[in-house]
């Protein structure tokens, strides 16, 4: 009798897991609006694009111009950030296809990883005053988080580039890219 009950319980739990309801597109899009996903995506993409482009440029300039002063490098950093901010806006968020693809990626990711019940629970949370306040702050939180990691990632990147082994890797990679482009 005990074995029969265990088998029935296992069968029931496997069936419920296997047939968990896939969330609807409409419910995920509603969640996206409540969670201010468009604002968060715009800020996150723009910031990560601008920060990575400007820091990469500073590292390259520093490598090519070892005599550059910290003030000069900071001036370059600010110039590149301003330029890349406009580029990011034009390439990413002002482009309607990007917005469409970003929303599709969001919907697909949530549909693959959550059940309808989980989406409904998230919607319920974001409809509360606390959930709404958290959603409005999310872009700022992610931006601050990325900025907090920036000095660490920059230092790691510079250490990585300084290594003779890694310099050789970049040279080899550059040669391979050149070979592909000459074909």
């Amino acid at each position: 009798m005990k074995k029969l009950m265990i088998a029935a319980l296992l069968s029931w739990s496997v069936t419920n897991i296997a047939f968990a309801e896939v969330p609807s597109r409409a419910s995920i899009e509603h969640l996206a609006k409540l969670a201010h996903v468009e604002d968060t995506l715009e800020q996150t993409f723009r910031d990560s694009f601008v920060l990575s482009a400007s820091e990469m440029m500073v590292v390259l300039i520093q490598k090519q111009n070892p005599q550059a002063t910290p003030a000069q490098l900071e001036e370059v950093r600010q110039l590149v950030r301003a330029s890349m901010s406009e580029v990011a806006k034009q390439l990413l968020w002002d482009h309607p296809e990007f917005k469409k693809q970003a929303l599709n990626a969001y919907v697909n990711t949530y549909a693959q990883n959550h059940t309808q019940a989980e989406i409904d629970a998230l919607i319920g949370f974001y409809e509360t005053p606390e959930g709404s306040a958290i959603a409005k702050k999310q872009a700022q939180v992610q931006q601050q988080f990325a900025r907090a990691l920036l000095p660490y990632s920059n230092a790691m990147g510079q250490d990585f580039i300084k290594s003779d082994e890694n310099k050789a890797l970049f040279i080899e990679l550059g040669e391979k890219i050149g070979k592909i482009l000459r074909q």
Side-chain angles (χ1 to χ4, degrees):
M1 179 68 171
K2 220 179 205 183
K3 288 181 182 178
L4 183 60
M5 287 187 72
I6 290 173
L9 186 59
L10 282 173
S11 174
W12 175 81
S13 64
V14 168
T15 301
N16 280 339
I17 291 170
F19 292 109
E21 187 180 357
V22 175
S24 71
R25 181 175 184 88
S27 67
I28 297 172
E29 287 177 356
H30 180 62
L31 172 63
K33 282 185 184 190
L34 290 172
H36 301 276
V37 168
E38 189 173 303
D39 296 339
T40 302
L41 285 173
E42 178 180 6
Q43 191 70 39
T44 302
F45 279 113
R46 186 175 49 237
D47 288 349
S48 63
F49 177 79
V50 169
L51 288 174
S52 63
S54 63
E55 294 309 314
M56 189 176 1
M57 185 66 75
V58 168
V59 168
L60 289 172
I61 287 172
Q62 190 174 28
K63 185 178 175 188
Q64 293 172 355
N65 303 285
Q67 76 285 359
T69 67
Q72 289 171 319
L73 294 173
E74 184 57 30
E75 191 175 340
V76 167
R77 179 179 285 114
Q78 295 306 319
L79 176 66
V80 173
R81 281 186 183 166
S83 298
M84 290 297 106
S85 184
E86 186 56 34
V87 168
K89 186 175 185 265
Q90 291 175 14
L91 288 178
L92 301 177
W93 218 250
D94 282 351
H95 195 284
E97 187 61 25
F98 179 78
K99 277 185 174 181
K100 179 181 169 187
Q101 292 303 320
L103 181 59
N104 282 337
Y106 180 85
V107 168
N108 292 337
T109 301
Y110 271 69
Q112 291 170 6
N113 291 285
H114 294 289
T115 65
Q116 185 64 54
E118 291 167 338
I119 296 297
D120 292 342
L122 285 169
I123 288 170
F125 171 69
Y126 283 120
E127 287 177 335
T128 67
E130 296 83 3
S132 179
I134 287 170
K136 288 176 185 171
K137 295 174 187 173
Q138 199 57 35
Q140 181 182 352
V141 167
Q142 288 181 346
Q143 182 181 26
Q144 287 175 349
F145 176 68
R147 288 189 188 280
L149 289 178
L150 193 59
Y152 177 70
S153 62
N154 286 345
M156 284 182 56
Q158 289 177 3
D159 288 346
F160 184 83
I161 289 172
K162 288 177 186 175
S163 154
D164 287 338
E165 181 181 324
N166 294 329
K167 283 181 188 175
L169 174 71
F170 284 117
I171 290 169
E172 181 183 339
L173 181 61
E175 289 170 355
K176 288 179 179 178
I177 290 170
K179 191 175 184 179
I180 291 169
L181 296 175
R182 287 189 295 272
Q183 292 178 356

